[in-house]
């Protein structure tokens, strides 16, 4: 059973940026792309469990702040060592200016 | 081997102790920088690194042509020495920055320069990506960091020999031969994921082929010149990267979680900064490894209020570091505790690990 969770307002995230979102003892990262689409992944890097929220968004890539590993935040795919393991992604929708995330 | 109080091996006693004491993969101190500013500093660009790479490789081509033209007269020595530094020292910083993926914006450009530089500096590009990741996770944590140059007590003979690349190149060649045979040491296996290990072996085999071709050409020509341009510059041109690299952490604290205590920023002349690609801003680099080399001077200006005063030059930095290394020969627990300015956030005891600094005259 999974529910849509109200994570933040769309304006809480700048374009080409991300924020950290904690819910139910877990941590997530919510992204806003340059073309104004929203995405959500697990919040911790799969290499050494560092928060991705301090990282850098470039195009559709999130770069981890610790060792510059990279993921495609739309698919969670690991793109650059030292990350090897993909990142889990979660569905997102926008309603009334709010970003909702479905957490499984 | 002489027993020491510290065990720097990655599978030894202190490796386990660091994990137990929470020093492994820990949270480190960071100076506060507003997210917006940090985002600007982290921005990637191709321009600066394209310019610097064109100068670097262009200068090497011109110098190599000069050497070939002047060889074997003594006039070949000056261009040879300059070529050596670009090969055996500038490659260290290019390897480093491109390994982080921050030098260029375009990924393939980072990767191409990373592979060229790795070959010159004789660091297997796959293996060293992992070892350097560990150096950033566990900077100067005994038993965790595979890149500690000045262990305690410091092996000064090794450092001096490495001014001419002797130990490093020997170790690299031995590792290359093992890797060519399909063998990885237990230490290598401890930080290179299994899925990446075949790549280590593949690169080693390509390198061996290049060296074999160079030796064959030297035999064919009956001249050492090919080897003076490929391979040997890692020896006679290494001095600059060792001179700058030793200053990064030597004589400073171990087992702490604050880069202000274990890293050193040194102001350097523009030529050394070109060769070293601004890694003289070393505290800044460790605190924020996502900031590209060309933005480090700006980052330094922004956070210097929170850092120990930078050393004002290479010579001045050695005047503090060298006596500290000599002192550690006798008192290996001693280290330089870098004083913070009044504007800085004080060191927090939880970032010290369990080693309290012993203050002394050389600090
Ligand atoms: S922790 Fe993310 S790349 Fe290492």
């Amino acid at each position: 059973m999974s529910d849509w969770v109200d994570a933040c307002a769309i304006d809480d995230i700048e374009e080409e940026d991300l924020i950290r979102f904690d819910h139910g003892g877990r941590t997530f990262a919510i992204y806003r792309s340059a073309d104004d689409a929203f995405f959500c992944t697990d919040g911790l890097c799969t290499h050494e469990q560092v928060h991705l929220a301090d990282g850098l968004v470039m195009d559709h890539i999130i770069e981890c702040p610790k060792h510059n590993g990279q993921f495609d935040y739309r698919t969670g795919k690991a793109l650059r060592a030292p990350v090897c393991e993909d990142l889990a992604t979660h569905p997102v929708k926008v309603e009334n200016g709010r970003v909702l995330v479905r957490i499984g | 081997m002489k027993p020491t109080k510290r065990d720097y091996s990655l599978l030894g006693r202190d490796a386990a102790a660091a994990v137990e004491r929470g020093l492994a993969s820990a949270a480190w101190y960071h100076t506060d920088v507003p997210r917006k500013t940090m985002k600007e500093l982290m921005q990637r660009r191709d321009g600066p690194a394209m310019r610097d790479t064109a100068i670097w490789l262009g200068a090497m081509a011109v110098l190599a042509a000069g050497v070939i033209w002047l060889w074997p007269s003594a006039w070949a020595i000056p261009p040879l020495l300059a070529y050596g530094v670009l090969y055996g020292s500038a490659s260290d910083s290019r390897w480093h920055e491109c390994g982080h993926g921050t030098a260029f914006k375009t990924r393939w450009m980072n990767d191409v320069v990373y592979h060229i530089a790795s070959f010159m500096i004789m660091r297997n590009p796959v293996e060293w990506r992992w070892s350097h990741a560990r150096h950033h996770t566990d900077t100067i944590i005994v038993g965790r960091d595979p890149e500690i140059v000045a262990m305690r007590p410091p092996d000064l003979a090794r450092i001096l020999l490495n001014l001419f690349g002797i130990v490093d190149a020997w170790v690299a060649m031995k590792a290359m031969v093992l890797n060519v045979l399909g063998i990885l040491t237990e230490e290598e296996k401890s930080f290179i994921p299994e899925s990446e290990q075949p790549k280590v072996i593949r690169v080693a085999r390509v390198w061996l082929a290049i060296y074999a071709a160079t030796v064959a050409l030297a035999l064919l020509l009956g001249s050492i010149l090919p080897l003076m341009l490929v391979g040997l510059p890692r020896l006679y041109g290494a001095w600059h990267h060792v001179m700058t690299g030793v200053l990064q952490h030597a004589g400073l604290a171990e087992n702490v979680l604050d880069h202000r205590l274990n890293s050193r920023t040194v102001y350097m002349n523009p030529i050394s900064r070109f060769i070293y690609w601004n890694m003289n801003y070393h505290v800044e680099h460790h605190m924020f490894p996502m900031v590209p080399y060309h933005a480090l001077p700006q980052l330094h200006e922004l956070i210097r209020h929170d850092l120990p005063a930078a050393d004002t030059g290479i010579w001045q930095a050695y005047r503090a570091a060298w006596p500290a290394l000599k002192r550690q020969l006798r008192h290996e627990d001693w280290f330089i505790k870098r004083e913070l300015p009044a504007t800085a956030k004080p060191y927090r005891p939880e970032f010290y690990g369990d080693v309290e600094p012993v203050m002394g005259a050389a600090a």
Side-chain angles (χ1 to χ4, degrees), chain B residues 60-330:
Chain B
M60 283 183 70
V62 170
L63 290 163
V67 171
I68 293 168
W69 185 45
L70 296 164
W71 189 264
S73 88
W75 293 106
I77 294 174
L80 192 70
L81 294 180
Y83 174 88
V85 169
L86 294 180
Y87 185 117
S89 283
S91 58
D92 170 60
S93 55
R94 273 68 183 168
W95 160 81
H96 175 264
E97 274 300 283
C98 295
H100 279 283
T102 48
F104 297 88
K105 182 171 189 198
T106 308
R107 191 137 48 105
W108 69 262
M109 293 187 192
N110 272 313
D111 290 344
V112 168
V113 176
Y114 180 66
H115 277 273
I116 295 171
S118 297
F119 174 77
M120 292 180 188
I121 198 69
M122 296 185 180
R123 290 179 193 147
N124 188 300
V126 185
E127 168 175 348
W128 278 74
R129 200 189 282 288
W130 296 95
S131 91
H132 196 64
R134 180 68 85 78
H135 172 60
H136 272 270
T137 304
D138 298 323
T139 312
I140 320 296
I141 303 291
V142 177
R144 294 286 300 177
D145 183 349
E147 294 184 10
I148 301 180
V149 173
M151 299 176 178
R152 298 196 214 156
D155 189 345
L156 297 183
R158 183 189 173 105
I159 293 173
L160 293 174
L161 286 171
N162 267 337
L163 281 172
F164 304 100
I166 293 167
V167 181
D168 280 351
W170 174 246
V171 171
M173 284 293 143
K174 273 199 313 198
M176 183 183 76
V177 170
L178 282 180
N179 294 162
V180 165
L181 297 172
I183 301 166
L184 273 86
T185 64
E186 287 307 313
E187 289 216 341
E188 285 172 332
K189 286 184 196 161
S190 80
F191 59 81
I192 307 170
E194 228 175 297
S195 60
E196 297 286 300
Q197 293 175 10
K199 294 187 196 162
V200 176
I201 292 164
R202 217 174 306 140
V203 170
R205 290 179 178 161
V206 172
W207 285 14
L208 186 70
I210 298 173
Y211 288 125
T214 311
V215 171
L217 184 65
L219 290 173
L220 197 74
L221 297 174
S223 163
I224 196 177
L225 180 57
L227 287 161
M228 292 304 280
L229 296 175
V230 178
L232 291 179
R234 174 62 181 83
L235 304 183
Y236 67 81
W239 63 271
H240 190 280
H241 95 260
V242 176
M243 174 184 77
T244 50
V246 164
L247 289 176
Q248 292 176 353
H249 308 285
L252 304 180
E254 287 177 337
N255 296 337
V256 292
L257 301 177
D258 188 333
H259 295 110
R260 301 176 301 175
L261 278 164
N262 69 9
S263 307
R264 184 185 273 110
T265 287
V266 183
Y267 296 135
M268 291 185 185
N269 67 76
I271 295 175
S272 286
R273 273 179 50 198
F274 174 80
I275 295 167
Y276 197 22
W277 255 12
N278 281 345
M279 275 308 119
N280 51 309
Y281 297 105
H282 213 67
V283 181
E284 293 82 349
H285 166 66
H286 267 282
M287 241 189 220
F288 300 106
M290 300 189 70
V291 174
Y293 78 96
H294 50 78
L296 285 177
Q298 274 164 276
L299 175 61
H300 171 70
E301 287 307 319
L302 195 75
I303 67 172
R304 57 187 289 191
H305 65 276
D306 199 35
L307 309 183
D311 288 272
T312 52
I314 296 173
W315 175 246
Q316 186 264 345
Y318 268 105
R319 282 187 37 173
W322 187 250
L325 290 177
K326 282 202 316 201
R327 187 165 176 171
Q328 286 176 346
L329 288 175
R330 282 170 289 120

Side-chain angles (χ1 to χ4, degrees), chain A residues 31 41-52 56-65 68-89, chain B residues 107:
Chain A
Y31 308 80
T41 68
D42 274 357
L44 299 177
C45 180
T46 56
H47 177 225
E48 284 186 359
Q49 308 293 299
V50 166
H51 283 283
L52 292 168
L56 177 66
V57 172
M58 294 173 285
D59 302 323
H60 290 113
I61 289 170
I62 171 67
E63 185 174 294
C64 173
N68 313 77
Q70 295 182 340
F71 303 92
D72 183 327
Y73 60 75
R74 297 168 302 179
T75 59
K77 193 167 174 36
L79 297 176
R80 181 180 187 278
V83 294
C84 301
E85 200 183 310
D86 295 349
L87 201 55
T89 57
Chain B
R107 191 137 48 105

